[in-house]
Amino acid sequence: MTSGKDQLYAQPLGQIAAFNFDDPVVNVFPDMIQRSVPGYQAIISAIGLLAGRFCQEHSTCYDLGCSLGAASLAMQHQIQAQDFRIVAVDNSPAMIERLANNLQLTRTDNKIDLVCADIREVAISQASVVVLNFTLQFIPIDDRAALLSRIYQGLLPGGILILSEKLAFADPRQQVLQADMHHLFKQAQGYSTLEISQKRSALENVLVPESFEVHQNRLLKAGFSSAEIWFQYFNFASMIALK
Ligand SMILES: Nc1ncnc2c1ncn2[C@@H]1O[C@H](C[S@+](CC[C@H]([NH3+])C(=O)[O-])CC(=O)[O-])[C@@H](O)[C@H]1O
Ligand SMILES: O=C(O)C(=O)Cc1ccccc1
């Protein structure tokens, strides 16, 4: 499948449309996320290891906002259970079509079922592992608690949620520092200042980060008994919440 270098924001744009996961983004998505999210590949690998440890027999693993299925593929690779399914959900038809094509090209015994739907409307049951890898940040803040409650309810005893998010910081000095460091990270990955600032405009009010404390409180309120960060690289973090 064609997958190119992300140059979507390289030229000056008169009007910057709100960011969305359409065909042009899908075409460059692996390169875009790799060069934009510090630690992305380390997180994907660890999601595989966590699924290997937590996937229970006769259970389902959910990858909510799966994009091109990187987390699902890592889970499939690491899970040793005999009887399990992975349900990969995304509401972008372009993402799901590309992922369906990619899966057809692989010869491996496929355990991944694709669903093109809004994760706010997908039933979750018999789950041992649920992954929200940089997806909750795109859900309206008012809808986040209800989604996490449904995930908690759908998890089996001993189940886990892996929640990765871009973070905001209550302390303005931390906010400025961490955002600056992310900017420097993107520059080091070859993005120009123009690309970085145009993409920031496109993400305004689309990707809405919250602080770790806000996430932790919401997870505990949803019923999780513990929620902690296991990985952080500047303003990008991944949390594990235990049922
Ligand atoms: N309401 C929604 N319902 C379903 N999908 C949604 C919704 N809102 C956004 N999405 C989908 O969530 C994904 C977010 S990307 C996830 C990366 C992936 N997890 C990865 O591990 O590579 C993160 C990023 O690009 O920063 C996109 O594919 C959206 O279509
Ligand atoms: O690029 C950014 O600034 C981000 O915050 C991460 C990102 C990565 C891929 C799509 C949308 C946002």
Side-chain angles (χ1 to χ4, degrees):
M1 245 341 105
T2 53
S3 180
K5 186 175 157 75
D6 171 24
Q7 297 183 318
L8 295 179
Y9 296 97
Q11 300 306 320
L13 302 167
Q15 284 239 313
I16 300 173
F19 189 87
N20 75 91
F21 295 92
D22 55 8
D23 260 317
V25 167
V26 170
N27 286 333
V28 299
F29 189 74
D31 178 70
M32 171 185 275
I33 195 150
Q34 183 79 37
R35 292 200 290 134
S36 301
V37 174
Y40 174 74
Q41 193 48 55
I43 293 170
I44 291 293
S45 299
I47 288 171
L49 296 178
L50 284 161
R53 163 106 175 224
F54 282 92
C55 178
Q56 303 173 26
E57 286 295 347
H58 318 300
S59 75
T60 300
C61 301
Y62 289 85
D63 181 5
L64 304 177
C66 60
S67 298
L68 297 180
S72 290
L73 290 164
M75 291 197 283
Q76 171 165 265
H77 189 68
Q78 292 292 341
I79 293 171
Q80 300 295 319
Q82 293 300 305
D83 177 35
F84 70 96
R85 296 301 297 178
I86 297 170
V87 175
V89 184
D90 206 288
N91 68 347
S92 157
M95 284 289 185
I96 291 289
E97 272 167 39
R98 181 64 58 91
L99 175 53
N101 283 333
N102 290 352
L103 289 179
Q104 278 200 333
L105 293 176
T106 68
R107 285 157 180 271
T108 49
D109 181 18
N110 183 44
K111 305 272 196 182
I112 304 171
D113 300 319
L114 303 188
V115 180
C116 189
D118 192 311
I119 59 173
R120 289 167 293 184
E121 286 161 13
V122 167
I124 294 160
S125 67
Q126 293 293 108
S128 52
V129 179
V130 177
V131 174
L132 279 168
N133 200 38
F134 302 106
T135 303
L136 191 68
Q137 59 195 14
F138 292 103
I139 301 296
I141 286 184
D142 287 351
D143 294 349
R144 293 180 188 182
L147 173 61
L148 294 182
S149 290
R150 285 200 309 105
I151 291 170
Y152 177 80
Q153 298 299 332
L155 277 166
L156 295 161
I160 61 165
L161 167 66
I162 303 161
L163 173 62
S164 310
E165 289 276 294
K166 186 176 195 171
L167 291 183
F169 297 84
D171 181 334
R173 293 169 308 165
Q174 284 287 347
Q175 179 57 40
V176 168
L177 169 62
Q178 305 269 1
D180 280 356
M181 294 315 296
H182 179 225
H183 187 119
L184 286 177
F185 173 88
K186 289 180 83 162
Q187 276 190 321
Q189 298 296 316
Y191 285 117
S192 69
T193 302
L194 176 70
E195 283 178 290
I196 296 168
S197 86
Q198 291 193 135
K199 184 166 182 219
R200 185 188 296 148
S201 300
L203 286 170
E204 196 92 36
N205 302 319
V206 174
L207 189 172
V208 183
E210 296 174 293
S211 68
F212 169 64
E213 292 71 24
V214 167
H215 284 296
Q216 187 179 46
N217 286 333
R218 190 192 285 122
L219 288 163
L220 297 176
K221 226 177 149 191
F224 290 94
S225 59
S226 162
E228 297 293 348
I229 291 178
W230 68 269
F231 181 91
Q232 185 170 346
Y233 188 160
F234 299 140
N235 48 347
F236 289 79
S238 188
M239 299 158 252
I240 296 176
L242 304 175
K243 176 138 187 174

